[in-house]
Amino acid sequence: MLKEKSTKEVQNDREFDFTNNDFSRVRKLIYQHAGISLSEAKSDMVYSRIGRRLRTVGFDSFKTYLDSLENENSPEEWEAFTNALTTNLTSFFREEHHFPILAEHLVSLKKPIRIWCSAASTGEEPYTIAMTACEAFGTMKPPVEIIATDIDTNVLATASRGVYPYERVSKLSDGRRKQFFQKGTGAHEGSVRVRNELRSLITFEQLNLLDDQWSLGEPFDAIFCRNVMIYFDKPTQTKILSHFVPLMKPHAILFAGHSENFLYVSNDFHLRGKTVYELNDGKTIKRTSNLVKERIV
């Protein structure tokens, strides 16, 4: 019978020293810096992802790496640290029931229309929003501006390029693939690229939802914040949702992920449909009043 290895034996098998204290420090630092609440079950994930960073920068233990991270306070290394610990699972038309709702909403609005995708990841979600807008208005130049943000600069670079393996679009209809993507040839065979008309609808920017201020301009007609809140604890969720309120026009809608329920952490919203929210009437009045005060100041 095989004997399970002890914790000490597993530690000795590892390339880098990684103690319980190291894991606790990582959890504390990513929470302070990005609001991400890592569970105690994520130890192996942290070792794997931050271990790759140790190899890249030449450290032989987590302690020396984390000491350097805190003491040198390099923005570039904090960015790499955060990028390593963010999860970016996404796909085109993920949670598809949201997009007919978005299309119906868009055609009912005054133009121009502003949409914020607050967790752009590698770009599939904002490009899906753009495709939905094109289909809703029957043109590749709909009256829509999309701001797509993410804390992870690596995935934003991928999103901005708009180049994907063919498998990423294989489940889309032939019509959508032909209308919105260009098929790669030669050295790029097996890849597709988002058409320039679609890319021109989107502005990609780095943004940390934990920041006290977001430079996003005028309020939005729709906000996508899907499968993001699950990485934050309830106080952080409440703080972020309160920041959404002044960024939403009175008629705006907020899209959440399938496993998220904002009603448990905020009184600012009511449920319009399946994981789709609107501002409560009182919050609309408060939001307008706050905007007037900000402009006077």
Side-chain angles (χ1 to χ4, degrees):
M1 181 179 291
L2 293 175
K3 181 181 178 182
E4 289 188 8
K5 292 184 178 181
S6 68
T7 302
K8 185 175 181 180
E9 287 173 325
V10 171
Q11 181 71 37
N12 289 339
D13 284 347
R14 285 176 164 171
E15 179 181 357
F16 305 107
D17 291 335
F18 182 56
T19 66
N20 289 336
N21 184 59
D22 295 331
F23 179 50
S24 296
R25 287 180 71 186
V26 171
R27 294 179 68 199
K28 178 181 177 181
L29 291 173
I30 195 63
Y31 179 80
Q32 291 174 339
H33 189 70
I36 296 172
S37 182
L38 288 176
S39 76
E40 294 182 358
K42 297 294 185 180
S43 176
D44 288 341
M45 183 271 280
V46 166
Y47 178 84
S48 175
R49 295 188 181 185
I50 300 301
R52 288 197 290 268
R53 190 63 195 160
L54 265 64
R55 294 186 198 98
T56 299
V57 293
F59 285 92
D60 60 3
S61 73
F62 274 71
K63 182 181 185 306
T64 54
Y65 171 74
L66 296 173
D67 287 345
S68 174
L69 183 68
E70 290 191 276
N71 295 334
E72 296 185 15
N73 201 27
S74 163
E76 292 79 11
E77 193 54 44
W78 274 110
E79 181 178 294
F81 174 76
T82 303
N83 288 352
L85 293 173
T86 49
T87 301
N88 296 290
L89 177 64
T90 186
S91 62
F92 291 104
F93 287 92
R94 185 183 185 192
E95 300 187 43
E96 193 168 4
H97 67 280
H98 280 158
F99 297 101
I101 297 172
L102 175 64
E104 182 180 354
H105 181 60
L106 294 180
V107 296
S108 71
L109 299 173
K110 291 182 179 180
K111 288 59 173 181
I113 298 166
R114 301 189 80 230
I115 305 171
W116 177 27
C117 174
S118 66
S121 186
T122 46
E124 286 89 334
E125 181 167 284
Y127 286 126
T128 299
I129 295 169
M131 285 187 270
T132 301
C134 290
E135 292 174 345
F137 289 103
T139 175
M140 291 294 285
K141 295 183 179 181
V144 169
E145 175 192 11
I146 302 166
I147 307 298
T149 66
D150 203 285
I151 191 174
D152 188 332
T153 53
N154 289 334
V155 296
L156 282 175
T158 298
S160 184
R161 286 193 299 271
V163 177
Y164 301 95
Y166 181 82
E167 292 76 24
R168 301 296 291 172
V169 300
S170 61
K171 293 184 180 180
L172 298 180
S173 67
D174 290 341
R176 278 177 172 163
R177 285 198 299 270
K178 291 176 182 178
Q179 182 178 1
F180 298 118
F181 297 89
Q182 295 173 311
K183 200 170 183 180
T185 58
H188 301 288
E189 188 174 358
S191 297
V192 296
R193 181 176 180 176
V194 176
R195 289 190 179 274
N196 289 336
E197 298 95 325
L198 207 65
R199 296 171 68 205
S200 68
L201 299 174
I202 306 172
T203 300
F204 292 99
E205 299 177 359
Q206 196 272 344
L207 184 143
N208 185 346
L209 289 173
L210 206 63
D211 290 345
D212 290 329
Q213 294 184 342
W214 304 332
S215 300
L216 294 169
E218 293 296 312
F220 296 93
D221 298 280
I223 294 177
F224 279 71
C225 184
R226 306 193 307 168
N227 306 300
V228 180
M229 293 296 189
I230 54 175
Y231 299 106
F232 302 130
D233 59 16
K234 284 189 176 180
T236 305
Q237 292 175 5
T238 301
K239 176 184 175 181
I240 292 171
L241 287 171
S242 70
H243 286 179
F244 283 167
V245 174
L247 288 173
M248 296 177 67
K249 295 178 183 178
H251 54 259
I253 53 179
L254 172 64
F255 294 91
H258 68 278
S259 61
E260 297 168 321
N261 189 334
F262 295 165
L263 299 181
Y264 287 104
V265 292
S266 174
N267 295 319
D268 295 340
F269 304 92
H270 66 266
L271 197 61
R272 167 175 165 165
K274 185 180 178 182
T275 56
V276 181
Y277 296 84
E278 294 175 318
L279 288 169
N280 286 326
D281 290 341
K283 292 301 176 180
T284 300
I285 296 171
K286 181 180 178 181
R287 183 200 67 80
T288 304
S289 174
N290 287 343
L291 283 176
V292 171
K293 289 179 182 178
E294 288 174 5
R295 285 170 184 153
I296 293 174
V297 173

